[in-house]
């Protein structure tokens, strides 16, 4: 009886509660990149001046958060793409650097394509620091959690305490 219940539970888990997302691979990265580009190149996208909680340097916080989220999305999508294999530090660093380069390109784009925004080296710095912090969080915490989450349904009958170093 116990064996049958366990087998039925396993079948149910595999068919109905599979930890598979229906989001196409890479879609998170594409959407967040498009949002960052829009926010970077439109005139006053968030109408920051109307916020009640505004403070000097809030735009730097927004830049930091945008590129933090961007790298988190890039590494999330990369981790999902690589499963069940481990991710490569070189590719993670390349994705992080490409986000920082995108930030630089958006600043240059503000200079060239808009007449209401201007290039700010401190925005570039905030972008790069946000990207680096997103990388660090994902590298040392997030990717492990994602692997555990996405592989848990495949290895639910085995313990998942062994991890291979890169």
């Amino acid at each position: 009886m116990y064996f049958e219940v366990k087998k039925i539970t396993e079948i149910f888990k595999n068919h109905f509660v599979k930890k598979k997302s229906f989001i196409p691979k890479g879609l998170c990265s594409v959407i967040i990149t498009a949002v960052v580009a829009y926010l970077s190149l439109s005139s006053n996208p968030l109408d920051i001046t109307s916020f009640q909680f505004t403070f000097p340097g809030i735009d730097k916080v927004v830049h930091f958060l945008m590129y933090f989220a961007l790298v988190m999305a890039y590494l999330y999508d990369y981790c999902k793409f690589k499963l069940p294999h481990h991710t490569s530090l070189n590719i993670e660093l390349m994705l992080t650097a490409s986000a920082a380069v995108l930030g630089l390109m958006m600043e240059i784009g503000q200079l060239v394509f808009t007449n209401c925004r201007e290039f700010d080296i401190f925005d570039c710095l905030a972008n790069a620091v946000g990207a680096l912090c997103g990388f660090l969080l994902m590298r040392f915490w997030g990717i492990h959690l994602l692997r555990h989450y996405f592989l848990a349904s495949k290895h639910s009958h085995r313990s998942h305490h062994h991890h291979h170093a890169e």
Side-chain angles (χ1 to χ4, degrees):
M1 178 69 180
Y2 172 75
F3 178 74
E4 285 178 9
V5 170
K6 189 170 180 174
K7 189 171 179 129
I8 291 168
T9 307
E10 193 68 30
I11 290 168
F12 178 80
K13 259 204 241 169
N14 286 340
H15 291 286
F16 298 105
V17 202
K18 242 187 185 160
K19 292 180 178 176
K20 259 195 159 175
S21 121
F22 296 103
I23 302 169
K25 283 187 173 108
L27 190 62
C28 271
S29 296
V30 170
I31 289 171
I32 293 185
T33 301
V35 168
V36 165
Y38 169 75
L39 293 175
S40 298
L41 297 175
S42 58
S43 57
N44 189 11
L46 297 175
D47 196 18
I48 283 182
T49 51
S50 71
F51 285 169
Q52 295 299 308
F53 57 88
T54 190
F55 55 87
I58 189 172
D59 64 316
K60 304 302 178 259
V61 173
V62 170
H63 278 268
F64 173 92
L65 291 173
M66 285 194 312
Y67 286 84
F68 179 84
L70 189 63
V71 167
M72 297 272 288
Y74 286 177
L75 295 182
Y76 169 83
D77 282 338
Y78 171 56
C79 179
K80 275 187 70 177
F81 177 76
K82 285 293 287 183
L83 284 172
H85 305 290
H86 287 270
T87 56
S88 155
L89 175 60
N90 287 342
I91 293 177
E92 291 170 26
L93 289 169
M94 190 256 328
L95 290 167
T96 303
S98 65
V101 168
L102 177 69
L104 177 64
M105 290 168 50
M106 289 295 110
E107 287 300 310
I108 293 169
Q110 288 177 2
L111 187 66
V112 174
F113 299 118
T114 72
N115 51 12
C116 51
R117 309 278 297 268
E118 52 193 48
F119 181 89
D120 183 343
I121 194 70
F122 294 108
D123 286 351
C124 292
L125 189 61
N127 297 344
V129 170
L132 180 63
C133 289
F135 161 77
L136 291 172
L137 183 68
M138 285 297 282
R139 177 71 187 166
F140 296 108
W141 185 67
I143 289 175
H144 173 75
L145 282 184
L146 286 171
R147 284 184 55 75
H148 184 75
Y149 177 79
F150 287 117
L151 293 176
S153 62
K154 291 179 183 163
H155 301 296
S156 57
H157 59 281
R158 281 191 279 169
S159 78
H160 195 65
H161 293 293
H162 63 284
H163 284 283
H164 306 294
E166 276 188 60

